[in-house]
Amino acid sequence: MFKRISVVVNPVAGGKKDKSQLIARLTKLLSAPGRSLSIQYTEKSGDANRLAREAVQQNSQLVVVIGGDGTVNEVGSALVDTDVPMAIIPRGSGNGFARTLRLPPQLEDAAALINDGAISLIDVGQANERYFFMLMGVGFDARIGERFNAHSSRGPLPYFYLSAKEFFNYRPAPLQINFNGKALALAPFMIIIANAQQFGNNARIAPHAILNDGLLDICIVRRLSFFDLLFALPKLFSGRIHNYSGVEFYQAQQVQLQRERADFINLDGEAVWEEAVVNVRVLPRRLKVITPKFCPALAP
């Protein structure tokens, strides 16, 4: 049993600011003789990472994150190469990482998993100096992430609205991608380098990705017209995007993206500014996560 638990809460995750009732229920569900709970709230970007690092320094045995993929990224980045596992109570807009792991959205089930689930070692992606656990991408998805970060509303509806609005104006930029001895020069609609299976909301861009296989799944979408989109979207949400002829899939341990200039990348659903050259690699089994005892996205 975990005796010292730190809980990091993003109060605005998922667009709902008041999480007091949720915290009260969680405190009751996790209370046990000899166990201490520390509840702390984020106020701005970077707080979740700082609070998780402080939890490690204070000898917490588990860090529970309540939030979306961005908050999970901050907490997980602080826990890489430590003995402290991360547990996730998904409360974000897309929850792509939690959905990949088949984590329960219901609070009671999530608390039960914290008490009785497995501790799994998962791979970590690294893009230059930044960690990612779900995916990183360049192209259209990074552009939408930039627009979404600046938007006043959260949730899937504003995200889809911005995507539809931007789709007809987007012009792909040329780049070169290097992996496994290949060098491809192209101007792609987007390139996704995935550790997990999906963007979020069950949009599975890399349906065969395994979180602990020591490999990254590369998805190259060279071009996408409006009519292509109508054909591809159902496959994206049904987990059959690999059957769409307009997408190429590869696997690699290291990938290099050479762009013409510095620009945004998508890092676990957040748009972050990055240098023109992005060196991506997998760090095998470097983060401990509380998971169901059986999870299709994990190799035995």
Side-chain angles (χ1 to χ4, degrees):
M1 182 183 77
F2 299 109
K3 293 186 177 298
R4 294 184 300 278
I5 298 178
S6 293
V7 182
V8 176
V9 185
N10 180 349
V12 298
K16 296 180 180 179
K17 295 187 177 182
D18 186 2
K19 291 185 171 54
S20 56
Q21 291 186 356
L22 181 147
I23 296 302
R25 289 165 55 205
L26 180 66
T27 300
K28 184 176 181 180
L29 288 166
L30 293 183
S31 293
R35 171 179 282 176
S36 64
L37 285 177
S38 171
I39 313 288
Q40 293 185 289
Y41 294 82
T42 65
E43 296 180 356
K44 60 184 182 301
S45 177
D47 281 356
N49 183 271
R50 174 181 57 81
L51 292 171
R53 285 188 281 109
E54 291 175 356
V56 174
Q57 295 167 359
Q58 294 162 5
N59 297 317
S60 290
Q61 297 174 327
L62 175 71
V63 177
V64 178
V65 53
I66 300 176
D69 290 316
T71 313
V72 168
N73 179 277
E74 286 196 29
V75 171
S77 294
L79 301 181
V80 171
D81 289 331
T82 74
D83 289 327
V84 182
M86 172 175 64
I88 303 166
I89 297 176
R91 285 297 182 273
S93 300
N95 302 312
F97 188 64
R99 290 175 188 269
T100 292
L101 285 170
R102 309 296 198 271
L103 299 181
Q106 296 81 12
L107 185 63
E108 289 74 14
D109 294 337
L113 191 65
I114 289 170
N115 288 323
D116 302 320
I119 300 177
S120 301
L121 273 168
I122 70 159
D123 299 340
V124 174
Q126 186 174 22
N128 288 348
E129 301 303 316
R130 305 175 191 271
Y131 293 132
F132 64 94
F133 310 104
M134 189 168 67
L135 54 81
M136 70 82 56
V138 297
F140 183 74
D141 68 314
R143 176 72 60 83
I144 297 306
E146 175 194 358
R147 299 290 191 265
F148 189 63
N149 283 355
H151 200 262
S152 57
S153 300
R154 314 310 288 169
L157 288 180
Y159 189 89
F160 287 126
Y161 166 75
L162 291 171
S163 297
K165 183 179 178 181
E166 187 67 27
F167 180 83
F168 295 100
N169 299 320
Y170 180 70
R171 297 294 179 267
L175 58 78
Q176 179 171 300
I177 180 171
N178 306 300
F179 61 95
N180 297 344
K182 300 177 184 289
L184 304 177
L186 62 162
F189 182 77
M190 65 180 176
I191 295 178
I192 302 298
I193 302 174
N195 188 43
Q197 294 175 353
Q198 60 170 283
F199 290 117
N201 293 306
N202 287 323
R204 285 167 278 179
I205 190 63
H208 294 145
I210 299 296
L211 282 162
N212 59 351
D213 62 355
L215 294 168
L216 296 168
D217 286 49
I218 305 167
C219 173
I220 300 176
V221 184
R222 287 185 178 262
R223 56 190 175 276
L224 198 66
S225 70
F226 177 71
F227 294 103
D228 292 331
L229 185 66
L230 294 178
F231 186 74
L233 273 179
K235 293 183 179 296
L236 179 67
F237 284 94
S238 66
R240 296 182 294 115
I241 193 64
H242 53 283
N243 293 332
Y244 173 55
S245 60
V247 181
E248 302 170 27
F249 287 94
Y250 305 91
Q251 288 185 317
Q253 294 177 319
Q254 297 186 48
V255 184
Q256 185 183 72
L257 299 167
Q258 297 178 344
R259 303 179 290 176
E260 292 187 335
R261 62 184 65 86
D263 201 347
F264 285 96
I265 65 172
N266 172 10
L267 201 78
D268 284 353
E270 300 291 326
V272 297
W273 187 260
E274 193 51 81
E275 298 297 326
V277 176
V278 186
N279 292 299
V280 187
R281 62 173 178 156
V282 63
L283 306 175
R285 303 195 180 204
R286 301 280 281 273
L287 176 68
K288 292 182 176 180
V289 181
I290 303 296
T291 69
K293 292 179 180 178
F294 173 75
C295 176
L298 292 170

